[in-house]
C-alpha cells in the first residue's frame, strides 16, 4: 500500500512538472502523414543551405516557444483583438526570425495532409533538422503536440532567460522549467551557431575584463560605443556555422560573446561541465540531444486540447 502511494505520488509530481508525455510518440504521423518528416527535412535543408544562419534561427524559435506556455507554437501567433502575441516581447522583437520558413513548411504539409501536422511539431522537427544540417547531432523527436489558441506576451517577457543574466539567475531560469544546471550548460551549447546584436554584448566588450583582449578589439570594430545596435557578430567566432563544441573551447579561453555565455565559465559551479564539453564533443552531443528531447516535452497540448492550426500565425 505504501509503495503504491509513493508510485502515485511520483506520477502526480511528474504530471505537475508537465514532463509526462505519454501521448507524444515517435510514430505519430506514420499513417496520417507519412511524408511529414521528409517534407520538413527537405525544406529546412534548403533554407539552411540558402542562409546558414537560418539553422540557428529555427533552433531558437523552438526554444522560445517551449519556454513560454510549453511547446505549443504560441510564439508563432500574430496579435489579435483578444490577446497580444509573443512576437513583440523583449526577447523576441527584432530578433526572432524564420517564421517564413515555418509558413512554407506548413503550407506544403497542408497540401499533402491537411489539418494533420501541428505547427508545434514543425518547430520541434525543424530545430532537430537545423542542427543536423549544420553538422550537429541528431535525436528522435517525440510528436503529437497540438497548437495553442492563445499566447502570452507577459510570460515571454518573464520566462525567457536574458543574455545579461549572471550564473545563479541562469540556473534558476532553467530550473523553473525543470532543467538541471548541467542541462542548462548543454542547451547553452546551441550558441555554437547563430549571431547576436551589438546591443546585447556592447557592455561586455567595453566594460568587462573577462573578455579576451584580441577578440574585444575585433568586436569593437563592428560594435561601436554608441549606434549600430543591430550590427551582428557570431556567437562562436571560431566555427560560426558549424554545430560543434567550439563554443565551450571559446568559453575556456574567455571568448564568450554574451555576458551569460561567459558566466558558464567564470569560477563557478558550471566550470567543470564547460571543460568536459570543450574536450569531449561526443559527451556534449549526447547531453545536448537528451536535453532537447526534454525541452520538446515541456507541457505539450495533446489529445483534444488545443487545435491543429491551418495557418501557424492565426487561430483557426
Amino acid at each position: 500500500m505504501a509503495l503504491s502511494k509513493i508510485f502515485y505520488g511520483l506520477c502526480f509530481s511528474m504530471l505537475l512538472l508537465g514532463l509526462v508525455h505519454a501521448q507524444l510518440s515517435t510514430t505519430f504521423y506514420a499513417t496520417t502523414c507519412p511524408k511529414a518528416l521528409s517534407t520538413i527535412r527537405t525544406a529546412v535543408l534548403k533554407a539552411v543551405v540558402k542562409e546558414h544562419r537560418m539553422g540557428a534561427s529555427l533552433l531558437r524559435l523552438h526554444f522560445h516557444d517551449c519556454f513560454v506556455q510549453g511547446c505549443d507554437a504560441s510564439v508563432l501567433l500574430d496579435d489579435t483583438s483578444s490577446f497580444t502575441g509573443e512576437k513583440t516581447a523583449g526577447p523576441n522583437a527584432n530578433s526572432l526570425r524564420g517564421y517564413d520558413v515555418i509558413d512554407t513548411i506548413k503550407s506544403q504539409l497542408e497540401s499533402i495532409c491537411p489539418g494533420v501536422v501541428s505547427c508545434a511539431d514543425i518547430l520541434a522537427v525543424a530545430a532537430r533538422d537545423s542542427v543536423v544540417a549544420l553538422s550537429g547531432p541528431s535525436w528522435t523527436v517525440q510528436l503529437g503536440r497540438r497548437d495553442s489558441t492563445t499566447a502570452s506576451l507577459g510570460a515571454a517577457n518573464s520566462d525567457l532567460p536574458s543574455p545579461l543574466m549572471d550564473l545563479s539567475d541562469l540556473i534558476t531560469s532553467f530550473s523553473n522549467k525543470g532543467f538541471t544546471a548541467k542541462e542548462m550548460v548543454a542547451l547553452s551549447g546551441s550558441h555554437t551557431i547563430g549571431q547576436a546584436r551589438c546591443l546585447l554584448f556592447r557592455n561586455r566588450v567595453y566594460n568587462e575584463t573577462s573578455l579576451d583582449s584580441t577578440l574585444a578589439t575585433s568586436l569593437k570594430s563592428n560594435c561601436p560605443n554608441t549606434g549600430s545596435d543591430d550590427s551582428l557578430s557570431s556567437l562562436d567566432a571560431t566555427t560560426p556555422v558549424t554545430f560543434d563544441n567550439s563554443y565551450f573551447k571559446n568559453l575556456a579561453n574567455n571568448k564568450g560573446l554574451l555576458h551569460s555565455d561567459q558566466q558558464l565559465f567564470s569560477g563557478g559551479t558550471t566550470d567543470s561541465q564547460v571543460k568536459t564539453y570543450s574536450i569531449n564533443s561526443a559527451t556534449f552531443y549526447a547531453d545536448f540531444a537528451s536535453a532537447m528531447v526534454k525541452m520538446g516535452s515541456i507541457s505539450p497540448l495533446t489529445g483534444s486540447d488545443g487545435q491543429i492550426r491551418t495557418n501557424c500565425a492565426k487561430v483557426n
Side-chain angles (χ1 to χ4, degrees):
M1 188 68 179
L3 277 175
S4 65
K5 279 185 177 177
I6 291 169
F7 173 75
Y8 286 117
L10 279 171
C11 289
F12 183 66
S13 300
M14 290 173 75
L15 279 167
L16 285 179
L17 282 170
L19 297 178
V20 170
H21 48 96
Q23 292 182 76
L24 294 186
S25 111
T26 58
T27 57
F28 193 81
Y29 298 114
T31 54
T32 54
C33 193
K35 291 185 179 176
L37 296 183
S38 60
T39 300
I40 298 171
R41 182 171 61 250
T42 301
V44 167
L45 190 58
K46 182 179 177 183
V48 174
V49 167
K50 182 180 175 184
E51 184 203 14
H52 289 349
R53 182 188 174 203
M54 187 54 71
S57 300
L58 293 173
L59 176 58
R60 188 163 177 251
L61 262 183
H62 180 46
F63 167 48
H64 281 226
D65 178 33
C66 292
F67 262 52
V68 182
Q69 293 191 171
C71 310
D72 61 359
S74 60
V75 71
L76 302 176
L77 287 172
D78 288 334
D79 297 350
T80 71
S81 55
S82 58
F83 65 81
T84 305
E86 298 162 19
K87 291 181 178 180
T88 55
N92 296 341
N94 304 313
S95 177
L96 273 192
R97 55 200 297 278
Y99 300 112
D100 52 332
V101 176
I102 300 300
D103 287 341
T104 297
I105 293 169
K106 181 60 175 172
S107 66
Q108 290 175 357
L109 291 172
E110 284 300 304
S111 69
I112 60 173
C113 31
V116 174
V117 184
S118 69
C119 301
D121 276 349
I122 294 172
L123 287 172
V125 176
R128 188 268 314 272
D129 291 347
S130 292
V131 171
V132 172
L134 295 174
S135 305
S138 187
W139 59 92
T140 304
V141 180
Q142 295 280 331
L143 301 164
R145 301 167 193 77
R146 288 166 64 85
D147 301 323
S148 69
T149 54
T150 186
S152 177
L153 177 71
N157 278 321
S158 65
D159 290 12
L160 288 163
S162 159
L164 308 178
M165 280 182 171
D166 290 333
L167 180 60
S168 59
D169 290 327
L170 287 167
I171 290 172
T172 299
S173 178
F174 279 79
S175 174
N176 288 341
K177 301 297 175 182
F179 293 98
T180 64
K182 179 181 175 181
E183 289 168 330
M184 181 270 289
V185 174
L187 289 171
S188 297
S190 60
H191 284 183
T192 178
I193 53 175
Q195 299 176 321
R197 292 181 294 158
C198 165
L199 175 71
L200 299 177
F201 59 84
R202 178 183 283 123
N203 186 64
R204 172 153 169 73
V205 170
Y206 288 93
N207 299 317
E208 292 187 16
T209 55
S210 64
L211 178 63
D212 175 80
S213 57
T214 306
L215 178 59
T217 302
S218 165
L219 290 168
K220 285 175 181 176
S221 65
N222 199 34
C223 182
N225 230 325
T226 54
S228 299
D229 283 0
D230 293 331
S231 178
L232 298 168
S233 288
S234 294
L235 288 159
D236 169 5
T238 312
T239 54
V241 293
T242 303
F243 196 101
D244 56 20
N245 67 335
S246 292
Y247 168 78
F248 297 106
K249 294 177 182 177
N250 293 341
L251 296 188
N253 290 304
N254 289 325
K255 292 182 178 180
L257 181 66
L258 301 174
H259 174 80
S260 58
D261 289 328
Q262 197 58 54
Q263 280 290 294
L264 304 184
F265 192 85
S266 55
T269 54
T270 53
D271 279 20
S272 59
Q273 198 59 48
V274 169
K275 206 70 176 166
T276 296
Y277 291 156
S278 74
I279 59 178
N280 193 328
S281 59
T283 303
F284 163 51
Y285 281 3
D287 289 354
F288 181 80
S290 296
M292 285 299 295
V293 172
K294 182 171 175 177
M295 188 177 79
S297 304
I298 298 176
S299 308
L301 297 170
T302 57
S304 58
D305 292 336
Q307 61 182 214
I308 306 297
R309 285 184 221 139
T310 304
N311 175 338
C312 290
K314 297 179 175 63
V315 174
N316 294 345

